[in-house]
């Protein structure tokens, strides 16, 4: 068993995550939000966020998962995970799509 600091087993990380989410929820400036993500995330992490949002939007449009994978060089595993999240009751992805 590893002793990783994850949100599940680190109260301080869970507290910091909760605090960060609260701060981000109050940001209403798109440029500031982009700056925050540039500070917090590497270019590869920002690319992952964008890819995940792309796949959610494509799934919502009814594009087949294999086509999404082929057209965007994404793994079917990642797309399937997004699809499952989108189908969950009270899906955060669904709520975000409704904001578009």
């Amino acid at each position: 068993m590893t002793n990783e600091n994850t949100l599940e087993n680190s109260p301080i990380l869970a507290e910091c995550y909760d605090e960060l989410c609260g701060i981000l929820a109050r940001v209403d400036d798109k440029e500031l939000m982009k700056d925050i993500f540039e500070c917090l995330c590497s270019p590869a992490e920002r690319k992952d966020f964008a890819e995940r949002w792309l796949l959610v939007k494509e799934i919502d449009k009814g594009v087949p998962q294999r086509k999404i994978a082929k057209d965007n060089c994404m793994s079917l595993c990642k797309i399937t995970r997004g699809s499952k999240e989108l189908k969950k009751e009270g899906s955060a992805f669904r709520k975000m799509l409704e904001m578009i």
Side-chain angles (χ1 to χ4, degrees), residues 40-57:
L40 285 173
C41 305
S42 69
E45 290 166 331
R46 293 191 307 271
K47 178 181 176 277
D48 284 345
F49 282 142
E51 283 181 343
R52 288 176 192 270
W53 185 239
L54 171 64
L55 73 86
V56 167
K57 291 191 327 177

Side-chain angles (χ1 to χ4, degrees), residues 63-76:
V63 178
Q65 291 186 22
R66 291 190 185 279
K67 179 166 176 37
I68 297 169
K70 182 181 176 195
D71 291 352
N72 300 287
C73 299
M74 293 181 194
S75 73
L76 280 172

Side-chain angles (χ1 to χ4, degrees), residues 2 10 16 20 32 37 56 59 76 78 80 82 92 95-96:
T2 63
S10 174
C16 287
L20 181 60
L32 175 58
F37 275 106
V56 167
I59 291 166
L76 280 172
K78 183 184 282 189
T80 299
K95 290 175 185 175
M96 288 177 66

